Amino acid sequence: MVRRLRPCHSATSVPTPLPDIDELLRLLDEGADHLNTRVVCEVEVRGRRFDVHVITLGQGGHDAPAVGFFGGVHGLERIGAEVVIAYLGSLVRRLSWDGLLRDQLKQLRLVFMPLVNPGGYWLGTRANPQGVDLMRNAPVDAIEPVPWLIGGQRLSPTLPWYRGQPRLPMQPESTALCEVVEQELLPHPFSIAVDCHSGFGVSDRIWFPYAHTSMPIDHLAELHALREIFDQAHCYHRYVFEPQSQQYLTHGDLWDHLYLQSRLHHAHNTFLPLTLEMGSWLWVKKNPRQLFSRHGIFNPLIRHRQERVLRRHMGLLDFMARAACSHRHWRPEGGERVRHHEAALAHWYPIDHPARAKGDTP
């Protein structure tokens, strides 16, 4: 049954002018015949109360592949939420005429969590209203050295990259995201998660775990095969596909935590968590005045650049849905899996890396 979402509101029922949430609610009205919606948690900040929404579509059961799209984990990185909402809007509007899309959704489950951290979005902060960086909040400690502060710290919520107090439950937003993934993705035999962020470097990057260690994950072969078919389908793309550990390590990464949970509780399933890290430094390079705006460091402020970013990533998100739906045709098995694993080690890990030195095999 489709449930209409109530608008974000304050304790005094005054509407909150958040354009991305307004656009999301318009999409839910437009696609009400096809979308299932629910509220997974509420966040209160400065007298205002915000809902965290989850939207699902597709008729596939637990034996069907699934893809989750997530945005707004860091409230300051609004472009991430905008990309997810724009892709949802594309699907909603295509459903009225696109017979191939309708056929695809008969065998695929799509999950959207467009704005995980609405309180941080409202405040214009990376962290949630309690000052906790949700992407440092999971109960995972790095087993190798991490960079100071950026790798996660417990000193103070007034400093960036605050993990929260030890031994306390995760923040409501982190808990909600984990519960959605555990319910909607992990039970499926094959699933992909795409979490949209911005702010690192001048190139768009697609990161995969781990962040708490430089060792490769169990599904390295599948990730290499996914990258290979992406290269074939998008010959001139500008994405850098790599393990996050190549750039820096962190404590508390939510996707590391969820991948480890998948291996613990759904060992026979394949779960591939990906992070789209849009290179916002390029926007600053083209428009240096953005350096003087907190939002400008993480988001394209000029309209035509924002539109270009939204157009560019539609193809990536649509590819992930198609790849999941057709995973049986490209997911490597047997000797092909060994080949992909060895090629991945050679491509992503230096020759003196422990995983290669010990002859690691899948």
Side-chain angles (χ1 to χ4, degrees):
M1 177 175 291
V2 175
R3 174 184 169 189
R4 285 281 300 277
L5 296 181
R6 58 186 182 276
C8 295
H9 55 277
S10 71
T12 56
S13 300
V14 178
T16 302
L18 293 177
D20 291 336
I21 293 182
D22 291 342
E23 172 64 13
L24 177 60
L25 294 175
R26 283 194 293 271
L27 288 175
L28 296 177
D29 281 336
E30 188 175 344
D33 291 339
H34 307 283
L35 305 177
N36 290 283
T37 66
R38 69 183 189 273
V39 174
V40 289
C41 78
E42 293 184 348
V43 178
E44 188 166 339
V45 52
R46 295 181 182 175
R48 296 183 181 272
R49 192 167 58 251
F50 301 95
D51 294 333
V52 178
H53 307 307
V54 172
I55 306 101
T56 61
L57 67 158
Q59 302 170 16
H62 278 313
D63 59 339
V67 186
F69 301 100
F70 303 83
V73 171
H74 295 138
L76 197 55
E77 300 170 16
R78 296 186 175 183
I79 190 64
E82 290 167 356
V83 166
V84 176
I85 292 171
Y87 181 56
L88 176 61
S90 168
L91 295 179
V92 166
R93 286 151 189 153
R94 285 165 54 194
L95 281 169
S96 64
W97 58 267
D98 191 339
L100 291 177
L101 175 60
R102 286 174 177 253
D103 290 342
Q104 183 186 53
L105 290 175
K106 292 177 182 177
Q107 50 189 326
L108 178 68
R109 180 83 163 165
L110 296 182
V111 182
F112 290 84
M113 201 170 179
L115 190 48
V116 176
N117 180 13
Y121 179 102
W122 171 254
L123 295 171
T125 60
R126 175 184 172 92
N128 75 346
Q130 284 67 49
V132 176
D133 187 329
L134 302 181
M135 202 45 70
R136 302 291 185 273
N137 189 221
V140 178
D141 292 327
I143 59 178
E144 299 168 41
V146 303
W148 187 67
L149 288 185
I150 191 174
Q153 54 85 19
R154 297 196 189 276
L155 301 174
S156 170
T158 62
L159 296 173
W161 303 294
Y162 179 60
R163 299 184 61 190
Q165 290 297 315
R167 294 179 294 279
L168 289 182
M170 285 189 290
Q171 294 293 300
E173 303 93 332
S174 304
T175 299
L177 185 150
C178 290
E179 289 178 350
V180 168
V181 172
E182 289 166 353
Q183 295 168 10
E184 299 285 356
L185 298 184
L186 300 192
H188 292 257
F190 184 91
S191 61
I192 297 174
V194 183
D195 183 17
C196 297
H197 290 255
S198 67
F200 184 87
V202 296
S203 299
D204 295 329
R205 298 176 183 272
I206 301 173
W207 281 343
F208 57 85
Y210 289 117
H212 76 287
T213 175
S214 62
M215 295 300 291
I217 69 172
D218 293 344
H219 289 103
L220 190 66
E222 286 77 7
L223 287 161
H224 187 267
L226 180 66
R227 171 186 173 270
E228 184 173 88
I229 65 169
F230 184 68
D231 288 345
Q232 294 167 357
H234 300 271
C235 303
Y236 306 108
H237 71 81
R238 299 172 59 185
Y239 296 101
V240 178
F241 205 118
E242 64 186 2
Q244 184 180 332
S245 61
Q246 282 198 343
Q247 299 301 331
Y248 58 89
L249 298 179
T250 73
H251 300 294
D253 186 272
L254 287 174
W255 298 111
D256 278 23
H257 169 66
L258 287 164
Y259 182 76
L260 293 171
Q261 291 296 108
S262 76
R263 303 308 296 144
L264 181 63
H265 299 294
H266 303 276
H268 297 294
N269 294 345
T270 298
F271 172 55
L272 305 181
L274 306 173
T275 297
L276 167 60
E277 189 75 24
M278 290 173 269
S280 66
W281 298 359
L282 181 63
W283 310 326
V284 175
K285 180 180 178 181
K286 290 183 175 180
N287 182 25
R289 287 177 295 179
Q290 292 192 190
L291 277 172
F292 302 100
S293 164
R294 181 169 54 177
H295 290 289
I297 298 174
F298 297 96
N299 305 280
L301 298 186
I302 298 175
R303 178 73 180 190
H304 75 270
R305 290 201 181 112
Q306 180 193 36
E307 293 173 350
R308 185 183 304 142
V309 169
L310 296 178
R311 287 195 303 270
R312 178 186 304 164
H313 300 303
M314 292 302 97
L316 173 68
L317 302 192
D318 201 52
F319 167 84
M320 293 301 171
R322 289 171 175 265
C325 191
S326 303
H327 69 97
R328 293 180 180 87
H329 299 291
W330 61 265
R331 193 180 64 193
E333 296 181 353
E336 188 69 3
R337 190 169 191 271
V338 172
R339 182 188 72 80
H340 274 287
H341 184 83
E342 292 174 350
L345 287 176
H347 181 76
W348 284 313
Y349 297 90
I351 196 166
D352 59 347
H353 190 277
R356 297 184 65 184
K358 71 178 184 178
D360 185 45
T361 56

